[in-house]
Amino acid sequence: MAIILGFDDYLSPAQQLAESLSIPFKQVELHQFPDGETKVTLPMNLPKKIIICRTLNQPNAKLIELIITASAARAQGVEHITLVAPYLCYMRQDIAFHQGEAISQKIIGKLLGDYFDRVITIDPHLHRINNLNEAIPSNQAIALHASSAMSAFLKKQFSQPVLIGPDEESEQWVKAIAKPHQWDYAIATKERFGDKSVAINLESNNKENINKVSLTNRDVIIVDDIASTGKTLEQAVKQIQQQAPTSISIIVTHAFFVDDAITRLTNMDVAHIWSSDSVLHNSNAFSIIDIIAEQLEKLDKTMVNN
Ligand code: R5P
């Protein structure tokens, strides 16, 4: 029987995953030395197959610790290691925009492919590639989506909301959430000028043009994969407010909301800010762990049947 290994910075979702799969959970202990290095201590007597569950926001130290954990597990005789990283880091930089820039997606993807037999994540930030295995060279690089959990959660909050995707990329998950309930939706376009500077255009020429859906007196929900600085959401809120909606809410998969992003959005009269537990944050309102558990169960059945 496999076990789940977790870390104290993502403890409760990792324990929930073990519970959903009815397998044991054990914790990897970390000790920070005064010089900044980490001592990693694994439980003993690991089975042949383990699942390491740790999300990869603030990833630099975590990546080193994961590599040490995976190597130490192999030294104990572990033969198959799955990494469950609900948020997968370093996926954005998939080309060199300027001379000399490292393509971190490929480098970190290869590193993960070298150490793990299987990597499972939720809504990775892929821009110019379609499949996660183009970033992680493995036929077991699996990208799942939070949209079914979002859809079920939102259904309990509103009966006929309008969903807004702030950029073309968001169309995939906005559609997936809206279609089962036949909710109205529209996709805006976004121009990014810098880390903290974006412009959102609600009157773009997209096929699902905002002009076809009036936001006046409607409950509007902005849906995105990541909230980092919150500037994308802030600009979307500003544009939507011009159409006098009843309420504006926000739902994202990965909640970073750096600096004072939450305060700024709350001060703009945003009614609700909801996120999944892929990254632990006060806004967490629904879980993606069952989506991962279902996938792991499916994979195990396939392996047994083959
Ligand atoms: C962009 O491609 C993503 O889907 C998000 O819209 C973006 O990462 C959000 O970043 P920020 O909160 O800094 O505007």
Side-chain angles (χ1 to χ4, degrees), residues 25-218:
F25 171 84
K26 290 195 175 162
Q27 195 172 330
V28 176
E29 301 294 341
L30 302 177
H31 170 77
Q32 300 298 330
F33 291 112
D35 58 13
E37 292 181 5
T38 312
K39 179 171 75 178
V40 179
T41 308
L42 282 71
M44 288 306 294
N45 304 316
L46 292 172
K48 296 277 174 233
K49 209 173 145 192
I50 63 170
I51 299 165
I52 299 178
C53 179
R54 194 180 200 188
T55 204
L56 287 173
N57 58 322
Q58 304 285 331
N60 294 356
K62 290 180 187 173
L63 283 171
I64 298 289
E65 290 157 6
L66 283 179
I67 287 166
I68 295 172
T69 304
S71 305
R74 301 262 186 219
Q76 276 197 37
V78 171
E79 289 170 3
H80 190 278
I81 310 181
T82 298
L83 173 65
V84 169
Y87 176 72
L88 189 58
C89 57
Y90 284 111
M91 291 295 110
R92 276 185 197 167
Q93 184 82 14
D94 56 359
I95 55 169
F97 297 93
H98 303 103
Q99 262 192 344
E101 280 179 4
I103 304 175
S104 36
Q105 184 192 77
K106 285 242 176 294
I107 298 163
I108 301 298
K110 177 166 183 329
L111 182 86
L112 296 176
D114 286 347
Y115 281 87
F116 298 97
D117 301 285
R118 184 195 279 157
V119 177
I120 298 182
T121 189
I122 299 274
D123 291 336
H125 204 94
L126 306 177
H127 274 278
R128 280 155 284 263
I129 62 169
N130 292 322
N131 294 312
L132 188 59
N133 60 14
E134 293 171 56
I136 301 175
S138 157
N139 56 2
Q140 292 271 288
I142 300 167
L144 304 173
H145 303 288
S147 40
S148 59
M150 275 188 184
S151 186
F153 173 78
L154 289 176
K155 183 75 189 144
K156 291 185 203 144
Q157 315 299 323
F158 296 106
S159 56
Q160 277 303 319
V162 186
L163 305 191
I164 299 292
D167 52 29
E168 285 175 32
E169 251 192 341
S170 61
E171 183 168 348
Q172 43 184 316
W173 40 85
V174 170
K175 253 189 192 166
I177 298 166
K179 284 262 159 94
H181 311 301
Q182 296 177 313
W183 287 341
D184 295 331
Y185 69 91
I187 309 299
T189 54
K190 176 164 88 181
E191 228 183 315
R192 186 173 279 286
F193 308 108
D195 286 346
K196 295 185 178 177
S197 172
V198 300
I200 300 285
N201 182 2
L202 289 183
E203 291 175 14
S204 56
N205 291 321
N206 273 2
K207 20 188 202 318
E208 317 291 348
N209 193 315
I210 194 96
N211 290 325
K212 292 180 200 158
V213 184
S214 167
L215 306 184
T216 307
N217 298 328
R218 301 288 303 270

Side-chain angles (χ1 to χ4, degrees), residues 289-303:
I289 292 299
D290 281 348
I291 295 173
I292 295 169
E294 272 167 34
Q295 180 66 30
L296 282 164
E297 272 169 349
K298 251 190 240 162
L299 287 165
D300 270 357
K301 273 191 200 135
T302 322
M303 276 170 82

